[in-house]
Amino acid sequence: MAHKHIQCTVNGQKLSLEVAVGESLLDMLRNRLHLTGTKKGCGVGECGACTVLLDGEAIDSCLFLAVWADGKDIRTIEGESKEGKLSKVQEAFVEEGAVQCGFCTPGFVMSVTALVEKGCQCEREGLKKELSGHMCRCTGYHNIVNAAEKAIGEP
Amino acid sequence: MFDIARYDEARSVEEAVALLAANPKARLIAGGTDVLIHIREGKQPEAELVGIRHIPELARIEREADGTLSIGAAATFSRIVADPLISRHVPVLADAVETVGGPQIRRVATIGGNVCNGATSADSASTLFALDAVLQIQGPGGVRLTPIRDFYAGPGRVHLGQAEVLTAIRLAPESYEGYGGHYIKYAMRKAMDIATLGCSVNCKVTGGDRLADVRLAFGVAAPTPVRCLQAEEAVKGKVFSPDVVEAFGHAAAAEINPRTSWRASREFRLHLAKELSKEALVKAYAKAGGIIHGA
C-alpha cells in the first residue's frame, strides 16, 4: 500500500508522519500515536465514539483518511486535561454523573468542547440535536445532556 | 485499514479530470463518508482514488449576476446549512441537508457526493429535483450542463463519465425566486437514519391564494428520486383549498411506484406519499406567502 508524508498538529504537538493512503485518522491516532482515548466503535460513522476535533470541528475520525489531516490541527481527549486538571467540559461530565462505562465519553466530550468553544447558546432540544451523532449504550443520555447544558452555561 | 491501493489529491478540477482520464480504475472521492463505507464493505477492492476535497472552487457557494445560485459540489452539508445565500434564497435546501446523518457526518459529507452516489434516499436529491437543479459537469471534452432529472440512471447509477467531475449544482433564478419550499424526511428516528420516504414541494403563489406553480419530488418512491408531473398539473393554476390539497395527495400516490423493502412496505410508502405531499404542499404554500382562508 502506498504511503504519503503528512504534517499535522495533534494536541498542540507538531508531527511529521508517513501514513498509509488507506489509513483512517482514527487508526493513525490509535495505532501509530497510541492515543487510544479515541474509541473505535462502529467504524461507519454511526456511533460517534471516534469523534475528534479537526480545526475545531467535531468529526468522525473513522471515516476520515489520515492523508486528509495534512496541515490540520487535531485534538483528542488526551489533550483536554492540562497538567492533571480536567477541562471544564470533563468536570461537567463528572459532576453530572454523565459517565457510565465510559466508551462513548471521549467522543461526547469532544463534541461538547467544540460547542462550548463556538459559543453555542443552544437550548436543551438544540443540544440533543447537536449530540445526535453519538450513541451511549448505557442509555445515559439524560445526564450527558445535563453535562452539556452545564458546560455551555458556564463560560 | 481501508483497502486503498492508490490515492492522488487533485489540486484543480482539470487535474482531477486528467488523473481520472489517465487511469480507468480511478474513482472520485470527496467527503468520503459513503465511498469509505463501500470500500470497508469490500465493494471496491484495491481502490484507486482521486481526492477532490481540497479544490477551493468546488466548495464555493455564490450567486451570479443573473441570480443563478451556484453550489460547489464539494460544499459540505454543514457549510450549506450555515451559508447566508442558501438561507436567504433556498432555505428548503438547508432544511433538507440538515436531515442527513448526524452533525459529524454533515461537516465532512458533500452535496455532490450525495447526488453522484445515485441513492434514491439522498436527502438533498428530492429537493434539488423540486428546485429544477442543473448539474455542471466537467470532463475531458469540456463543461456540460444537465438537468438533475436526466442524471439518474437507476439505483446507485448516474450518467457521469469515468473522467467526469460534477463541479457545481446550479439553481436558475426563475426556479427559486418567489417560491416557498418544504421538505419532509420520514424516518424511524430524528437523526442518524435513512429516509423511508422523502418529499419535497416547491410552490409559487399569485393573487394571494392561487398556485401559480407547484413542483413535487420524492426520494425512495422509485429506484431514483422522481418528480410527480401529473400531480403538479392537477393543482397548477388552482386556488388553494382543502380539496386541491386532497387531490394533490391522491395524484401523487397514484403516480409513484414504490417497492417493499425491510424499511417499509409498498403500501405504507404509498400512504406516506399521499400524506406527506399534502403536508408539504400546505407548508410550502404558507412559506410562499399563500393566504389560508378562514385561518
Side-chain angles (χ1 to χ4, degrees):
Chain A
M1 186 176 282
H3 284 67
K4 284 205 190 284
H5 187 82
I6 65 163
Q7 287 181 304
C8 59
T9 303
V10 177
N11 297 332
Q13 197 184 347
K14 284 195 174 138
L15 299 173
S16 188
L17 300 160
E18 282 289 310
V19 296
V21 294
E23 197 169 334
S24 67
L25 176 58
L26 174 64
D27 286 338
M28 180 190 102
L29 294 169
R30 288 182 60 87
N31 304 342
R32 206 174 283 275
L33 304 177
H34 308 294
L35 296 170
T36 53
T38 305
K39 299 304 176 202
K40 188 167 191 170
C42 68
V44 290
E46 286 177 3
C47 76
C50 66
T51 301
V52 300
L53 302 192
L54 181 91
D55 289 343
E57 299 272 9
I59 62 149
D60 291 325
S61 61
C62 71
L63 288 184
F64 197 89
L65 293 179
V67 293
W68 293 338
D70 190 31
K72 304 285 184 190
D73 180 67
I74 297 143
R75 285 166 59 189
T76 71
I77 193 69
E78 284 87 351
E80 293 309 294
S81 68
K82 302 275 182 335
E83 290 161 10
K85 194 175 179 305
L86 296 181
S87 73
K88 190 179 76 171
V89 174
Q90 289 172 312
E91 281 290 353
F93 271 68
V94 173
E95 286 164 14
E96 292 298 324
V99 178
Q100 287 198 54
C101 86
F103 193 82
C104 69
T105 312
F108 268 112
V109 166
M110 298 318 289
S111 275
V112 174
T113 299
L115 292 177
V116 168
E117 291 177 359
K118 276 193 270 185
C120 170
Q121 300 283 317
C122 294
E123 299 289 327
R124 200 169 175 89
E125 283 310 303
L127 271 178
K128 285 184 189 169
K129 197 172 153 191
E130 291 289 345
L131 298 177
S132 62
H134 293 270
M135 277 193 182
C136 167
R137 300 311 299 267
C138 306
T139 70
Y141 295 107
H142 192 76
N143 290 355
I144 292 166
V145 180
N146 286 349
E149 218 167 26
K150 184 167 204 161
I152 68 163
E154 292 173 0
Chain B
M1 189 73 72
F2 296 105
D3 186 8
I4 299 173
R6 182 186 169 134
Y7 178 81
D8 291 301
E9 182 82 47
R11 278 150 301 186
S12 66
V13 175
E14 290 73 21
E15 191 184 356
V17 170
L19 285 164
L20 291 168
N23 178 6
K25 222 197 143 197
R27 295 284 177 271
L28 282 176
I29 185 168
T33 52
D34 282 313
V35 173
L36 292 176
I37 290 174
H38 277 191
I39 292 172
R40 192 178 189 272
E41 288 168 350
K43 289 177 187 164
Q44 212 176 317
E46 296 178 6
E48 301 190 17
L49 304 173
V50 173
I52 52 167
R53 57 181 299 118
H54 296 128
I55 302 175
E57 65 176 279
L58 289 186
R60 227 173 273 150
I61 298 174
E62 55 196 358
R63 191 158 178 256
E64 295 170 359
D66 69 350
T68 299
L69 277 169
S70 173
I71 303 161
T76 62
F77 292 123
S78 58
R79 163 96 172 73
I80 290 167
V81 169
D83 189 82
L85 286 172
I86 300 290
S87 314
R88 184 166 166 206
H89 298 287
V90 278
V92 62
L93 185 61
D95 294 344
V97 304
E98 211 177 7
T99 69
V100 175
Q104 296 101 307
I105 295 289
R106 291 196 291 272
R107 293 187 188 104
V108 177
T110 67
I111 191 164
N114 205 219
V115 169
C116 291
N117 267 331
T120 181
S121 57
D123 287 304
S124 65
S126 40
T127 294
L128 292 175
F129 269 63
L131 282 166
D132 262 339
V134 171
L135 306 181
Q136 181 176 313
I137 294 163
Q138 193 166 329
V143 176
R144 69 180 171 101
L145 296 172
T146 186
I148 194 165
R149 273 165 61 189
D150 299 335
F151 188 61
Y152 283 78
R157 287 183 293 118
V158 293
H159 294 293
L160 189 70
Q162 209 294 123
E164 287 189 318
V165 179
L166 170 65
T167 56
I169 293 157
R170 296 172 65 81
L171 306 175
E174 56 272 21
S175 69
Y176 72 84
E177 278 179 355
Y179 281 81
H182 193 76
Y183 175 70
I184 303 171
K185 171 178 183 165
Y186 186 95
M188 301 303 279
R189 294 186 290 171
K190 287 182 187 165
M192 305 303 295
D193 206 350
I194 289 168
T196 305
L197 196 80
C199 173
S200 200
V201 169
N202 218 23
C203 91
K204 190 177 203 170
V205 177
T206 49
D209 63 359
R210 193 174 293 275
L211 294 165
D213 192 19
V214 175
R215 297 199 293 264
L216 166 67
F218 286 111
V220 210
T224 68
V226 282
R227 275 280 290 279
C228 288
L229 302 176
Q230 291 161 35
E232 293 173 9
E233 284 307 320
V235 299
K236 249 188 246 180
K238 300 250 166 81
V239 169
F240 184 86
S241 74
D243 287 347
V244 165
V245 173
E246 200 58 36
F248 187 62
H250 272 285
E255 197 171 346
I256 59 167
N257 187 19
R259 68 183 184 107
T260 293
S261 74
W262 67 269
R263 237 177 263 286
S265 68
R266 167 187 162 82
E267 291 71 26
F268 184 52
R269 284 199 169 95
L270 287 170
H271 174 72
L272 282 177
K274 187 174 149 216
E275 296 305 322
L276 299 188
S277 56
K278 282 157 53 178
E279 187 186 337
L281 176 62
V282 172
K283 297 214 162 118
Y285 172 77
K287 287 178 183 176
I291 300 161
I292 310 267
H293 293 291

